[in-house]
Amino acid sequence: MNRYLAFDIGGTFLKYGVVAENMTVVETNKVKTPDSLEGLLRTMEEISHLNNEVKGVAVSCPGAVSPEGIIKGSSALHYLHGPNIKHLIEDRLNVPIFMENDAHCAGYAEFWKGAAKGKKDVLVMVLGTGIGGAVFKNAELHKGANLHGGEFGYMLLNSDIHDSNDVWSRVASTKALVRVVAERKNIAVDSLSGEQIFSMAEAGDADCLQALDRFYHLLAVGIYNLQYIYDPEVILLGGGISARENLIEKIDEKLDGILAVVDLAKVKPKIAACKFKQNANLLGAVYGWLKEFNRSKVASI
């Protein structure tokens, strides 16, 4: 059975793993993301030499990935934007390379053998420090005219716009949740985490409970908008927070409240958690590799 080396380039860590065609993750590891492009390429080359029996290499990365291999848009890794990253990796590793946006890869994993398998029209939301996502129409990824299809986080929820802090990512992400609680408690943002906020809320902390209630509401408002823009079969929620057992339930309650007020709305968004968590980007990147280089293999798995 063929194996593939997958990389997930993140702002903090470069994660990598060997993935088999049956979607088995043979092994994974991670290193601190290098602070330069040369450092990144050298690290990927060293890892590739240790896994020289793989059939190909799949790369998940931030930013708007163009077909030719240039990463547009913006991300925490400024050095990724400008040069043709795909060609540079191919030159170093000397194997066929597939490269795609990280949220798109997460969506691919769900279509491979996850919560989107067998479906056609699906939105995938990835919740983290921002809100990313992927749009699938007839089970095919829709990237858009400017490669920004699925960038749900740029949505505006308030007509009274002051600055970029009014976009959905800045008010309804886990980073926003931490900022709100830190401001209420007059403590440093770096001294607090999302996990701590959930734990404190479970213990009855009023600030955390109020912030979470608002957080769920803002997520529900954006999801309501997405449903009526695209009318998908399901909207899947991914990212670390999607592992929380009551996340779907809490957002679902807020959606009920919205539909009770907006009586013109008859279709309630169907939401569910993504199946794949920490390895979603690695798995989805390999699925993308198979789609690009071996479509017959995709059809049989």
Side-chain angles (χ1 to χ4, degrees), residues 169-192:
S169 277
R170 298 287 179 88
V171 298
S173 62
T174 53
K175 184 177 181 179
L177 174 64
V178 171
R179 187 187 69 248
V180 168
V181 174
E183 288 175 354
R184 290 187 178 188
K185 292 188 173 298
N186 195 27
I187 60 176
V189 172
D190 294 342
S191 67
L192 197 60

Side-chain angles (χ1 to χ4, degrees), residues 189-208:
V189 172
D190 294 342
S191 67
L192 197 60
S193 70
E195 281 299 317
Q196 287 175 307
I197 291 173
F198 283 102
S199 297
M200 291 161 67
E202 289 168 1
D205 185 282
D207 291 329
C208 293

